[in-house]
Amino acid sequence: MKTLPKLKIINDPIYGFITIPNKLIFDLMEHKYFQRLRRISQMGFSYIVYPGAHHTRFHHALGAMFLMQKAVQVLLSKGVEVSEKEEEALYVAILLHDIGHGPFSHAMENSIVENISHEQISLLFMEALNRKFNKQLTLAIQIFKDEHPRKFLHQLVSGQLDMDRLDYLKRDSFYTGVPEGTVNAQRLIAMLNIKDDKLVVEEKGIYSVENFLVARRLMYWQVYLHKTGIVAEQLLVRVLKRAKQLSAQGVVLPASISLKFFLNNNINSNDFSDEVLDTFSKLDDYDIISAMKMWVGSDDFVLKNLSKMLLNRDLLKVKVKSKPFSIQKIKEKRKNLIEKFNISEEEASFFVFYGKLENQAYSMEKDTINLLKKNGKIIDVAKASDQLNLEALSKSVVKYYMCYPKNNTHSYRG
């Protein structure tokens, strides 16, 4: 591996010192596409609920790479062959796995770009960087796309027990102050092994796996699917949708050049040319916040009030239950709003809406977590566990939510 002329280390609040393994990784980190991740919050609007959750995708990418370094060391110590090229490719793939996230992480995928996920955009960034870096990312891209014959390489980057999940659970738990999400990532990594080119966990690691799956489930209900966080994210999606609608009608909205481009054009997966990708790379949380600060002065009832709600944390009320809400109830809430503010049915639908939340900590259908028993047999962790709840964790739990304005709608402006 090409080492740096001088060892570069970064101080991380979770793991202590993270060492940058080589020059390619260092140069990728220095690139503007990667530096942009400093301006994209890891957990979107979760800081509305957990004030400490201001950490970024940049933090997370470095943490996931640190865990990958640990995983490679463990596997090499157990006699698993990992070439220098494969090792470097693993670091590149995990470092760049989230590079395609837009502002506030997930909200963009559902509002100002269409039919393209952050994973697809990450791949486009990786391919663009591969051209800039003289094809040095080819193997990393192959692993990222799961096109490498050694399956465990992809599993370490994207699987049920990957370095991405191990880092974000530990990191998000730390920054939100929710201890239930704490996982002993390094103990879990110490238990990893490879059998038939697939990732397995040694039998003695079963309790660490159970702890990881339970922590994942609790973090989803307490943090990622927290009802206030869901309202904030849904409001952001609707702010951007409304801004896009108005732009399509010829309304000129104040916004940064990059944001204006996406408001004025319908961009889907077929439209992501190098120019579009470069424009996307200039978008971050700051574009959205500054735009909303200007949009509170808009003449449009919807855009103005949604922006104000998010900036002032004066959010919609949210109810969550295990059965879907009746259409009648939703119509009633919308009707009240239409009469009170003399707005259209469509405008009211931005303030009264419903959806569902799904939580599945472990999927037994694809890419199961396999335990390697002492006799060399492989068994699914859910079947080996003496905790009956692991089978329960593999069932998807669905809840339904409805959002609508609070009674004190005096803060709305017609």
Side-chain angles (χ1 to χ4, degrees):
M1 258 197 202
K2 296 182 289 295
T3 49
L4 284 165
K6 188 169 161 230
L7 201 63
K8 294 276 185 219
I9 54 173
I10 290 172
N11 198 355
D12 179 69
I14 313 284
Y15 309 120
F17 290 124
I18 295 177
T19 307
I20 310 303
N22 64 33
K23 190 173 182 323
L24 174 62
I25 298 291
F26 180 75
D27 291 344
L28 285 169
M29 283 171 55
E30 290 283 275
H31 195 277
K32 61 180 182 179
Y33 288 171
F34 190 77
Q35 287 294 318
R36 159 185 169 272
L37 297 181
R38 290 182 185 272
R39 302 185 300 276
I40 292 184
S41 63
Q42 169 72 9
M43 294 176 63
F45 263 111
S46 287
Y47 62 77
I48 269 185
V49 184
Y50 298 102
H54 272 288
H55 55 304
T56 64
R57 290 271 157 195
F58 185 89
H59 276 139
H60 163 59
L62 288 184
M65 186 193 69
F66 170 82
L67 293 181
M68 187 66 85
Q69 288 173 297
K70 294 289 170 203
V72 169
Q73 285 164 17
V74 164
L75 295 176
L76 288 171
S77 75
K78 292 179 182 179
V80 177
E81 282 186 28
V82 181
S83 71
E84 282 197 359
K85 282 277 171 222
E86 286 168 340
E87 184 181 344
E88 182 179 76
L90 279 173
Y91 300 155
V92 170
I94 198 70
L95 187 76
L96 303 180
H97 77 282
D98 269 348
I99 200 169
H101 268 293
F104 291 102
S105 292
H106 291 280
M108 291 286 288
E109 291 169 65
N110 305 309
S111 49
I112 68 171
V113 291
E114 291 158 34
N115 302 321
I116 184 160
S117 67
H118 72 269
E119 289 91 352
Q120 289 168 287
I121 301 174
S122 290
L123 189 57
L124 292 172
F125 272 124
M126 286 165 87
E127 284 164 349
L129 287 166
N130 199 26
R131 291 191 289 276
K132 289 187 170 95
F133 281 84
N134 203 16
K135 299 281 183 283
Q136 290 182 81
L137 280 67
T138 305
L139 186 56
I141 291 169
Q142 203 183 357
I143 290 169
F144 185 78
K145 289 164 80 174
D146 198 12
E147 289 173 355
H148 195 283
R150 305 187 77 190
K151 291 296 167 197
F152 78 89
L153 297 172
H154 176 74
Q155 286 176 303
L156 286 166
V157 175
S158 178
Q160 294 220 51
L161 202 56
D162 59 33
M163 300 307 110
D164 170 31
R165 286 183 183 186
L166 285 178
D167 180 77
Y168 77 62
L169 280 177
K170 200 170 171 64
R171 191 166 298 277
D172 296 350
S173 153
F174 175 87
Y175 280 100
T176 53
V178 175
E180 289 84 352
T182 308
V183 288
N184 191 342
Q186 298 200 52
R187 174 168 163 80
L188 250 175
I189 289 168
M191 299 293 132
L192 293 179
N193 212 327
I194 304 301
K195 174 93 185 212
D196 304 328
D197 264 336
K198 293 212 174 104
L199 197 63
V200 290
V201 180
E202 289 161 5
E203 190 175 11
K204 60 188 171 186
I206 186 164
Y207 299 115
S208 299
V209 175
E210 285 177 354
N211 173 45
F212 163 74
L213 293 174
V214 171
R216 188 169 144 76
R217 181 173 186 274
L218 293 173
M219 280 295 280
Y220 266 86
W221 284 135
Q222 266 183 271
V223 178
Y224 308 128
L225 298 177
H226 188 289
K227 61 181 191 174
T228 310
I230 293 292
V231 176
E233 185 166 306
Q234 288 301 322
L235 284 175
L236 180 58
V237 168
R238 282 161 175 75
V239 164
L240 294 171
K241 278 193 170 164
R242 185 58 170 179
K244 207 163 163 54
Q245 266 182 15
L246 293 170
S247 299
Q249 291 162 19
V251 178
V252 179
L253 295 173
S256 67
I257 294 167
S258 322
L259 182 55
K260 259 191 180 148
F261 173 80
F262 286 96
L263 293 178
N264 292 325
N265 296 282
N266 289 325
I267 301 295
N268 59 39
S269 51
N270 302 323
D271 305 315
F272 258 84
S273 62
D274 282 356
E275 290 76 21
V276 171
L277 191 68
D278 205 55
T279 306
F280 185 86
S281 79
K282 295 184 176 102
L283 272 182
D284 54 51
D285 293 8
Y286 296 92
D287 294 75
I288 307 298
I289 294 285
S290 345
M292 289 196 302
K293 284 171 79 174
M294 292 184 279
W295 295 346
V296 291
S298 166
D299 293 335
D300 182 69
F301 180 89
V302 175
L303 190 66
K304 172 174 49 185
N305 284 300
L306 291 180
S307 300
K308 203 183 295 175
M309 283 175 160
L310 274 171
L311 290 174
N312 301 336
R313 201 193 180 279
D314 182 12
L315 307 172
L316 296 169
K317 197 169 172 56
V318 59
K319 273 199 175 150
V320 179
K321 57 181 201 173
S322 49
K323 290 196 176 110
F325 289 85
S326 74
I327 297 298
Q328 191 51 43
K329 196 161 196 150
I330 289 146
K331 280 185 174 166
E332 223 170 85
K333 296 273 184 202
R334 283 183 185 165
K335 188 167 172 277
N336 291 344
L337 213 57
I338 291 165
E339 287 170 1
K340 187 160 189 174
F341 294 103
N342 192 23
I343 56 175
S344 68
E345 169 87 35
E346 193 207 359
E347 287 172 317
S349 72
F350 280 91
F351 300 94
V352 181
F353 52 85
Y354 58 96
K356 67 176 179 178
L357 310 171
E358 276 186 76
N359 186 357
Q360 185 179 18
Y362 176 55
S363 167
M364 288 171 76
E365 275 110 59
K366 56 178 174 57
D367 185 32
T368 53
I369 298 174
N370 289 320
L371 282 188
L372 176 65
K373 293 181 80 74
K374 287 193 181 74
N375 61 9
K377 277 194 173 163
I378 287 177
I379 181 166
D380 183 339
V381 68
K383 295 195 168 65
S385 170
D386 52 10
Q387 272 205 28
L388 292 170
N389 69 356
L390 275 207
E391 291 244 18
L393 288 180
S394 68
K395 292 182 174 62
S396 183
V397 179
V398 180
K399 290 184 183 180
Y400 299 86
Y401 67 86
M402 176 170 85
C403 300
Y404 54 93
K406 297 169 184 164
N407 290 332
N408 60 334
T409 45
H410 62 271
S411 59
Y412 286 62
R413 296 281 176 269

